Amino acid sequence: MNRVEAVERKGPRPRVLIIEDEDDIRGLVRYNLEQEGFAVDDARDGAEGYESVRRRAPDALVLDLMLPGMSGLELCQKLRAESATHTLPIVMLTAKSSEVDRVLGLEMGADDYVVKPFSPRELVARIRAVLRRSHAQSNSDAGPVYERGRLRMDMGTYEVFVDGRQRQLCLREFELLRFFVEHPMRVYSREQLLDLVWGRDVFVEPRTVDVHVRRLRRQIERDDSKPELILTVRSVGYRFNPEALG
Ligand code: CA
């Protein structure tokens, strides 16, 4: 069962799974999500959370970074590596406000993050935003296929193949790559990419764009230390060069 069917079968109430070992925070998040009409499951650690995801796939996941046993980062990586959950929207909770943790969370495949202490309203807004993007993706028709040289992207199934091998891109990486192939050779600043790919309802730093570009390069470039497809335009932003696809 894919996520579209899951959403339809469960009806209009989106289901969110919270994985957090601190009772107070778990309770606070659960309370606020239920008040907003979400169905909520919860788990106290990564292993229990992983079981919960397998038993009943949520529409979105709120994942604490610091968990006993398997860390939030490890779990995030594990979920991203599996085809059933590689586009599951994940909002990460982090206790530390250091940039390292936030960047690491995004590197490991989280879609967004909030830093503790956070306002429940902010968290709910972010969950709504990731769900909106995810539904917009799932509901779009079997779209066109982009094929050029060694890259093939199926806009309907969100599959990406490079040199005939399927690559696991998270939702945002896919959206970023789609934006690039649809707007070749033009230079976009980080701020423009945030507006056009992330949308104005998401509050992230321009640095986030760099993190996603780096991850995307690892998936699609021949040598990500010498990118030929997604080019850095110094002190401006990025440009996609389809010529290098061959
Ligand atoms: Ca914790």
PDB file of all heavy atoms in Angstrom, residues 20-22 64-68 116, ligand 1:
ATOM      1  N   GLU A  20       9.427  10.294  20.809  1.00  0.00           N
ATOM      2  CA  GLU A  20      10.066  11.197  21.783  1.00  0.00           C
ATOM      3  C   GLU A  20      10.073  10.492  23.132  1.00  0.00           C
ATOM      4  O   GLU A  20       9.052   9.955  23.565  1.00  0.00           O
ATOM      5  CB  GLU A  20       9.259  12.508  21.822  1.00  0.00           C
ATOM      6  CG  GLU A  20       9.479  13.398  23.027  1.00  0.00           C
ATOM      7  CD  GLU A  20      10.881  13.972  23.099  1.00  0.00           C
ATOM      8  OE1 GLU A  20      11.749  13.307  23.707  1.00  0.00           O
ATOM      9  OE2 GLU A  20      11.107  15.064  22.534  1.00  0.00           O
ATOM     10  N   ASP A  21      11.234  10.467  23.781  1.00  0.00           N
ATOM     11  CA  ASP A  21      11.313   9.759  25.070  1.00  0.00           C
ATOM     12  C   ASP A  21      10.870  10.621  26.250  1.00  0.00           C
ATOM     13  O   ASP A  21      10.569  10.093  27.315  1.00  0.00           O
ATOM     14  CB  ASP A  21      12.735   9.230  25.305  1.00  0.00           C
ATOM     15  CG  ASP A  21      13.768  10.344  25.279  1.00  0.00           C
ATOM     16  OD1 ASP A  21      13.714  11.173  24.342  1.00  0.00           O
ATOM     17  OD2 ASP A  21      14.606  10.396  26.178  1.00  0.00           O
ATOM     18  N   GLU A  22      10.852  11.947  26.073  1.00  0.00           N
ATOM     19  CA  GLU A  22      10.446  12.796  27.200  1.00  0.00           C
ATOM     20  C   GLU A  22       8.921  12.887  27.257  1.00  0.00           C
ATOM     21  O   GLU A  22       8.286  13.384  26.330  1.00  0.00           O
ATOM     22  CB  GLU A  22      11.049  14.195  27.044  1.00  0.00           C
ATOM     23  CG  GLU A  22      12.550  14.210  27.318  1.00  0.00           C
ATOM     24  CD  GLU A  22      13.200  15.481  26.812  1.00  0.00           C
ATOM     25  OE1 GLU A  22      13.043  16.521  27.449  1.00  0.00           O
ATOM     26  OE2 GLU A  22      13.849  15.426  25.751  1.00  0.00           O
ATOM     27  N   ASP A  64      12.251  12.923  17.524  1.00  0.00           N
ATOM     28  CA  ASP A  64      13.243  13.562  18.385  1.00  0.00           C
ATOM     29  C   ASP A  64      14.633  13.081  18.000  1.00  0.00           C
ATOM     30  O   ASP A  64      14.833  11.914  17.672  1.00  0.00           O
ATOM     31  CB  ASP A  64      12.936  13.220  19.852  1.00  0.00           C
ATOM     32  CG  ASP A  64      13.846  13.976  20.800  1.00  0.00           C
ATOM     33  OD1 ASP A  64      14.180  15.137  20.503  1.00  0.00           O
ATOM     34  OD2 ASP A  64      14.224  13.405  21.841  1.00  0.00           O
ATOM     35  N   LEU A  65      15.572  14.000  18.047  1.00  0.00           N
ATOM     36  CA  LEU A  65      16.946  13.654  17.679  1.00  0.00           C
ATOM     37  C   LEU A  65      17.617  12.807  18.761  1.00  0.00           C
ATOM     38  O   LEU A  65      18.313  11.833  18.480  1.00  0.00           O
ATOM     39  CB  LEU A  65      17.734  14.945  17.462  1.00  0.00           C
ATOM     40  CG  LEU A  65      19.154  14.837  16.949  1.00  0.00           C
ATOM     41  CD1 LEU A  65      19.168  14.402  15.509  1.00  0.00           C
ATOM     42  CD2 LEU A  65      19.858  16.175  17.101  1.00  0.00           C
ATOM     43  N   MET A  66      17.417  13.204  20.036  1.00  0.00           N
ATOM     44  CA  MET A  66      18.087  12.524  21.141  1.00  0.00           C
ATOM     45  C   MET A  66      17.148  11.482  21.730  1.00  0.00           C
ATOM     46  O   MET A  66      16.239  11.806  22.494  1.00  0.00           O
ATOM     47  CB  MET A  66      18.449  13.537  22.232  1.00  0.00           C
ATOM     48  CG  MET A  66      19.361  14.659  21.763  1.00  0.00           C
ATOM     49  SD  MET A  66      20.990  14.072  21.319  1.00  0.00           S
ATOM     50  CE  MET A  66      21.702  13.947  22.965  1.00  0.00           C
ATOM     51  N   LEU A  67      17.385  10.233  21.369  1.00  0.00           N
ATOM     52  CA  LEU A  67      16.552   9.141  21.867  1.00  0.00           C
ATOM     53  C   LEU A  67      17.461   8.084  22.468  1.00  0.00           C
ATOM     54  O   LEU A  67      18.603   7.921  22.035  1.00  0.00           O
ATOM     55  CB  LEU A  67      15.766   8.510  20.706  1.00  0.00           C
ATOM     56  CG  LEU A  67      14.656   9.332  20.057  1.00  0.00           C
ATOM     57  CD1 LEU A  67      14.210   8.675  18.759  1.00  0.00           C
ATOM     58  CD2 LEU A  67      13.476   9.499  21.009  1.00  0.00           C
ATOM     59  N   PRO A  68      16.963   7.352  23.453  1.00  0.00           N
ATOM     60  CA  PRO A  68      17.772   6.246  23.972  1.00  0.00           C
ATOM     61  C   PRO A  68      17.860   5.137  22.917  1.00  0.00           C
ATOM     62  O   PRO A  68      16.931   4.955  22.141  1.00  0.00           O
ATOM     63  CB  PRO A  68      16.966   5.776  25.189  1.00  0.00           C
ATOM     64  CG  PRO A  68      15.569   6.243  24.959  1.00  0.00           C
ATOM     65  CD  PRO A  68      15.653   7.471  24.103  1.00  0.00           C
ATOM     66  N   LYS A 116      14.061  22.819  20.216  1.00  0.00           N
ATOM     67  CA  LYS A 116      13.455  22.937  21.541  1.00  0.00           C
ATOM     68  C   LYS A 116      14.088  24.113  22.294  1.00  0.00           C
ATOM     69  O   LYS A 116      15.285  24.309  22.162  1.00  0.00           O
ATOM     70  CB  LYS A 116      13.695  21.659  22.354  1.00  0.00           C
ATOM     71  CG  LYS A 116      13.002  20.436  21.811  1.00  0.00           C
ATOM     72  CD  LYS A 116      13.415  19.240  22.655  1.00  0.00           C
ATOM     73  CE  LYS A 116      12.833  17.949  22.122  1.00  0.00           C
ATOM     74  NZ  LYS A 116      13.341  16.769  22.867  1.00  0.00           N
TER      75      LYS A 116
HETATM   76 CA    CA B   1      14.784  13.109  23.806  1.00  0.00          CA
END
